[in-house]
Structure formats: structure tokens, C-alpha cells
Amino acid sequence: MLLSKKIIIKTPNEIEQMRLACKDAALVLDYITPFVQAGVSTEYLDDLMLRYTEDVLGDRSACLGYQTADCPPYPKATCISVNHQICHGIPDSKILKKGDILNIDVTVIKNGFHGDTSRMFMVGECSIAAKHLCKVTFEAMWKGICMVKPGAHFGDIGYSIQRFAEAQGCSIVREFCGHGVGRGFHEEPQVCHYGKMGSGAEILPGMIFTIEPMINAGKRNLKIMPNGWTAVTKDRSLSAQYEHSVLCTENGYEVLTVSPGCEPPPSWAAWKSPT
Ligand code: MF3
Ligand code: CO
Ligand code: CO
């Protein structure tokens, strides 16, 4: 028999704690936004975000020192993935320049709970292709979020993202997925950004998970850099990603990683489902 691993249903108190952690992660992105400019290094941005996380919010970075089976401990507080970097870009001395697009991915721990969110940033004026990729990726994330309600299946999220992004001529990275999030950074289940309607586990009220599609302008194939972490597109095409942490409610979803500086949903979506 195939045993499926347990997806944690959060209690009302745990949900309240998650609202706080997730808001803080979004606030880190709000804070860093005006500093994302041509001429600064990604390491500088990472330092600022670590200081803000610890000294202003009183939280910890979940990324700093994070270790999985096959990677060395992650050396920085955030992930900053520039242009053809798909994810897990390690902040370094590289200087941002006009026309770059970058994803900043922040995971904080507040009172033992993880908040995980990422956004795209553009440095000055960017190409039409870069802007299009970012827009498609943002909307693809929301196509996934809109599928979240009790009785839906995790495959519905993947299906909706894949159908939308591929119709726009983009490709979906398959090696990295969304994930349950809570006391654990990466909990069950894996939330794939491609798939079939009705496949996967049933989504139930109290489940909290991320939706974080990585979408390439070219082919979906990737390679991992010698640092053991950073994924880049094999064809060096641009890649984009957005990420929200989302709660399944009794009648739909609640996006938890919200803050004043958060980009509002597309016109066909909403922060919360109608009650
Ligand atoms: N924040 C990433 C995610 O969305 C994970 C980063 S792990 C790190 O799941 F160690 F690279 F920071
Ligand atoms: Co995540
Ligand atoms: Co993340």
C-alpha cells in the first residue's frame, strides 16, 4: 500500500501565528524595494534584509544555515536570483545593472513559524520580453491561488498554472515546487506548478502552503551551479518567480504574505474569496 505523508491541518492559534510570520516576510520585501537599484550588490541587499529581519522585526532568517540532504548549509539570509537564475541565487558582490530582473525570496521565522514569500524586481527600464515574463509569472501564481478551496485537489493548482503559462509561450520549471509551510520550512505536500485536474491530495481548511511558480522564457531545463544551490536555465533564457503563502479557508483561500507594499491581485482575482 502506498502511504501518503501527513499534511498538517493548522489550528486557529497556529493560523494566527502564521499570519504574523507571513506578514513579516512580506514586510521585508516592502522594506528592500527602494534599495533595489542599479549599482548595488545583491550581498548589500541581503545584509540590509537580515538587519531588518533581526533588529526591526525581531525574527530570524530561515535560510541562513538551512541545510537539506544534498546541499551545503545555505550561507545567506535571502535568495536573490538574477536574470537566468531560476532560484536559490546566493547574494554576492555582483552589481545590479539597468535592465536586470531579479527575484528576492524571503523566509522568516517568527515565534517558531515560517513565513515564505518572493517577488520580482526590475532594475530601471527592462526589455518587453522581461516585463512580459514577470507579468505572466505573477498571473500564473494567481491562477494557482484562485483554485484553492476545500475539496479541490493540489493538482488543480498545477494544472491552472501550467495551462496559463504555456499558453503564453513560457515553460514551467518542474524540479522545484511549492510546499506546506508552518513550524516546518518545507512541510508536506509538494505543490507542483504543473499537473492534472483532480490529481494529488484533497485541499482542506486549515492547510497552509506556498504557491511559487518558476517560469522560464525559454525551455524548462535547468542546471545547478557548482555552489550546490543556484539553479539556472540551461539555455540561459530569463526566469521569473513569485511566491505567496496561502491558507485554505472554509470557503476559499486567504493569502497570508500580505503587506502594504504587496502588488494587488490581477483584476480577475481577489485577496480573499467572497464569504
Ligand atoms: N524560500 C525558498 C522556498 O521558497 C527556499 C530557500 S531555501 C534556501 O522554498 F536555503 F535556499 F534559502
Ligand atoms: Co517556498
Ligand atoms: Co521562498
Short mmCIF file of all heavy atoms in Angstrom, two decimals, residues 62-64 66 74 76 78-79 88 105-107 116 177 179 185-186 210 212 229 241 243, ligand 1:
data_model
loop_
_atom_site.label_atom_id
_atom_site.label_comp_id
_atom_site.label_asym_id
_atom_site.label_seq_id
_atom_site.Cartn_x
_atom_site.Cartn_y
_atom_site.Cartn_z
N ALA A 62 15.08 32.10 8.00
CA ALA A 62 15.02 30.64 7.93
C ALA A 62 16.07 30.08 6.98
O ALA A 62 16.40 28.90 7.04
CB ALA A 62 13.63 30.21 7.48
N CYS A 63 16.58 30.94 6.10
CA CYS A 63 17.51 30.47 5.06
C CYS A 63 18.94 30.34 5.58
O CYS A 63 19.65 29.40 5.22
CB CYS A 63 17.48 31.43 3.88
SG CYS A 63 15.84 31.56 3.14
N LEU A 64 19.35 31.29 6.43
CA LEU A 64 20.72 31.32 6.92
C LEU A 64 21.05 30.01 7.65
O LEU A 64 20.46 29.70 8.67
CB LEU A 64 20.88 32.52 7.87
CG LEU A 64 22.28 32.95 8.28
CD1 LEU A 64 23.14 33.29 7.07
CD2 LEU A 64 22.20 34.17 9.21
N TYR A 66 20.42 27.06 6.54
CA TYR A 66 19.45 25.99 6.21
C TYR A 66 20.14 24.88 5.44
O TYR A 66 20.96 25.13 4.55
CB TYR A 66 18.31 26.58 5.37
CG TYR A 66 17.24 25.59 5.00
CD1 TYR A 66 16.41 25.03 5.97
CD2 TYR A 66 17.04 25.21 3.67
CE1 TYR A 66 15.41 24.13 5.64
CE2 TYR A 66 16.04 24.30 3.32
CZ TYR A 66 15.22 23.77 4.30
OH TYR A 66 14.24 22.88 3.96
N TYR A 74 23.04 26.75 3.67
CA TYR A 74 22.85 27.95 2.86
C TYR A 74 23.52 29.12 3.58
O TYR A 74 23.28 29.36 4.77
CB TYR A 74 21.36 28.22 2.64
CG TYR A 74 21.12 29.30 1.62
CD1 TYR A 74 21.28 29.03 0.26
CD2 TYR A 74 20.79 30.59 2.01
CE1 TYR A 74 21.09 30.03 -0.68
CE2 TYR A 74 20.60 31.59 1.07
CZ TYR A 74 20.76 31.31 -0.27
OH TYR A 74 20.59 32.29 -1.21
N LYS A 76 23.49 32.55 3.20
CA LYS A 76 22.98 33.92 3.27
C LYS A 76 21.56 33.95 3.84
O LYS A 76 20.94 32.90 4.03
CB LYS A 76 23.01 34.56 1.87
CG LYS A 76 24.42 34.81 1.35
CD LYS A 76 25.08 35.97 2.09
CE LYS A 76 26.50 36.22 1.57
NZ LYS A 76 27.14 37.34 2.29
N THR A 78 18.82 35.51 2.49
CA THR A 78 17.76 35.51 1.48
C THR A 78 18.28 34.85 0.20
O THR A 78 19.49 34.63 0.06
CB THR A 78 17.31 36.95 1.13
OG1 THR A 78 18.40 37.61 0.47
CG2 THR A 78 16.90 37.73 2.37
N CYS A 79 17.39 34.60 -0.73
CA CYS A 79 17.79 34.16 -2.06
C CYS A 79 17.53 35.31 -3.03
O CYS A 79 16.42 35.89 -3.01
CB CYS A 79 17.00 32.94 -2.52
SG CYS A 79 17.25 31.49 -1.47
N HIS A 88 17.28 30.19 -5.67
CA HIS A 88 18.41 29.93 -4.76
C HIS A 88 19.68 30.65 -5.20
O HIS A 88 20.78 30.14 -4.98
CB HIS A 88 18.67 28.43 -4.59
CG HIS A 88 17.45 27.67 -4.13
ND1 HIS A 88 17.29 26.32 -4.29
CD2 HIS A 88 16.31 28.10 -3.52
CE1 HIS A 88 16.11 25.95 -3.79
NE2 HIS A 88 15.50 27.02 -3.32
N ASP A 105 13.63 36.25 -2.50
CA ASP A 105 12.83 35.26 -1.78
C ASP A 105 13.21 35.33 -0.30
O ASP A 105 14.37 35.12 0.05
CB ASP A 105 13.09 33.88 -2.36
CG ASP A 105 12.10 32.84 -1.86
OD1 ASP A 105 11.44 33.05 -0.83
OD2 ASP A 105 12.00 31.77 -2.51
N VAL A 106 12.22 35.64 0.52
CA VAL A 106 12.44 35.85 1.96
C VAL A 106 11.66 34.82 2.75
O VAL A 106 10.45 34.66 2.53
CB VAL A 106 11.99 37.27 2.36
CG1 VAL A 106 11.95 37.43 3.87
CG2 VAL A 106 12.91 38.32 1.73
N THR A 107 12.32 34.13 3.67
CA THR A 107 11.62 33.28 4.62
C THR A 107 12.08 33.64 6.02
O THR A 107 13.27 33.55 6.32
CB THR A 107 11.87 31.79 4.35
OG1 THR A 107 11.67 31.53 2.96
CG2 THR A 107 10.92 30.92 5.17
N ASP A 116 6.91 32.69 4.11
CA ASP A 116 7.73 32.48 2.90
C ASP A 116 7.08 33.20 1.72
O ASP A 116 5.94 32.90 1.36
CB ASP A 116 7.81 30.96 2.66
CG ASP A 116 8.77 30.55 1.57
OD1 ASP A 116 9.50 31.41 1.04
OD2 ASP A 116 8.80 29.34 1.26
N CYS A 177 9.10 22.92 -6.34
CA CYS A 177 7.66 23.03 -6.15
C CYS A 177 7.35 23.93 -4.97
O CYS A 177 8.23 24.24 -4.16
CB CYS A 177 7.08 21.64 -5.84
SG CYS A 177 7.31 20.48 -7.17
N HIS A 179 5.16 24.16 -1.32
CA HIS A 179 5.28 23.23 -0.20
C HIS A 179 4.39 23.67 0.95
O HIS A 179 4.11 24.88 1.10
CB HIS A 179 6.74 23.18 0.27
CG HIS A 179 7.33 24.56 0.48
ND1 HIS A 179 7.27 25.22 1.69
CD2 HIS A 179 7.92 25.44 -0.38
CE1 HIS A 179 7.81 26.42 1.56
NE2 HIS A 179 8.22 26.59 0.31
N PHE A 185 9.82 24.54 7.60
CA PHE A 185 10.07 25.38 6.41
C PHE A 185 9.42 24.70 5.21
O PHE A 185 8.64 25.30 4.47
CB PHE A 185 11.58 25.53 6.24
CG PHE A 185 12.04 26.56 5.24
CD1 PHE A 185 13.38 26.96 5.24
CD2 PHE A 185 11.18 27.14 4.31
CE1 PHE A 185 13.84 27.91 4.33
CE2 PHE A 185 11.64 28.09 3.40
CZ PHE A 185 12.98 28.47 3.41
N HIS A 186 9.76 23.43 5.02
CA HIS A 186 9.21 22.68 3.88
C HIS A 186 8.45 21.47 4.41
O HIS A 186 9.04 20.44 4.68
CB HIS A 186 10.33 22.28 2.92
CG HIS A 186 10.97 23.46 2.26
ND1 HIS A 186 12.25 23.89 2.54
CD2 HIS A 186 10.50 24.34 1.35
CE1 HIS A 186 12.53 24.97 1.82
NE2 HIS A 186 11.48 25.26 1.09
N THR A 210 2.70 27.05 0.15
CA THR A 210 3.14 28.09 -0.77
C THR A 210 2.74 27.73 -2.20
O THR A 210 2.62 26.55 -2.54
CB THR A 210 4.66 28.30 -0.75
OG1 THR A 210 5.30 27.18 -1.37
CG2 THR A 210 5.18 28.46 0.69
N GLU A 212 4.46 28.96 -5.74
CA GLU A 212 5.66 29.71 -6.10
C GLU A 212 6.22 29.31 -7.47
O GLU A 212 7.35 28.84 -7.58
CB GLU A 212 6.73 29.55 -5.02
CG GLU A 212 7.01 28.11 -4.58
CD GLU A 212 8.14 28.05 -3.54
OE1 GLU A 212 9.24 28.54 -3.82
OE2 GLU A 212 7.92 27.49 -2.44
N TRP A 229 23.64 25.10 -4.89
CA TRP A 229 22.32 25.67 -4.61
C TRP A 229 21.64 26.28 -5.84
O TRP A 229 20.49 25.99 -6.13
CB TRP A 229 22.43 26.79 -3.54
CG TRP A 229 22.45 26.27 -2.16
CD1 TRP A 229 23.57 26.11 -1.36
CD2 TRP A 229 21.34 25.84 -1.38
NE1 TRP A 229 23.20 25.61 -0.15
CE2 TRP A 229 21.84 25.44 -0.13
CE3 TRP A 229 19.97 25.75 -1.62
CZ2 TRP A 229 21.01 24.96 0.89
CZ3 TRP A 229 19.13 25.27 -0.62
CH2 TRP A 229 19.66 24.89 0.62
N GLN A 241 9.88 34.31 -10.90
CA GLN A 241 9.15 33.59 -9.86
C GLN A 241 8.44 34.58 -8.93
O GLN A 241 8.98 35.65 -8.62
CB GLN A 241 10.12 32.74 -9.01
CG GLN A 241 9.43 31.98 -7.89
CD GLN A 241 10.37 31.13 -7.05
OE1 GLN A 241 11.56 31.42 -6.96
NE2 GLN A 241 9.84 30.08 -6.45
N GLU A 243 5.99 34.21 -5.18
CA GLU A 243 5.59 33.24 -4.15
C GLU A 243 4.72 33.90 -3.09
O GLU A 243 5.08 34.95 -2.55
CB GLU A 243 6.83 32.64 -3.48
CG GLU A 243 6.49 31.72 -2.29
CD GLU A 243 7.72 31.04 -1.68
OE1 GLU A 243 8.82 31.62 -1.75
OE2 GLU A 243 7.54 29.94 -1.14
N1 MF3 B 1 12.46 30.26 0.16
C1 MF3 B 1 12.68 29.11 -0.69
C2 MF3 B 1 11.34 28.49 -0.93
O1 MF3 B 1 10.50 29.18 -1.37
C3 MF3 B 1 13.66 28.16 -0.11
C4 MF3 B 1 15.01 28.73 0.06
S1 MF3 B 1 15.99 27.60 0.88
C5 MF3 B 1 17.47 28.40 0.96
O2 MF3 B 1 11.01 27.38 -0.64
F1 MF3 B 1 18.18 27.72 1.79
F2 MF3 B 1 17.98 28.45 -0.24
F3 MF3 B 1 17.32 29.60 1.41
#
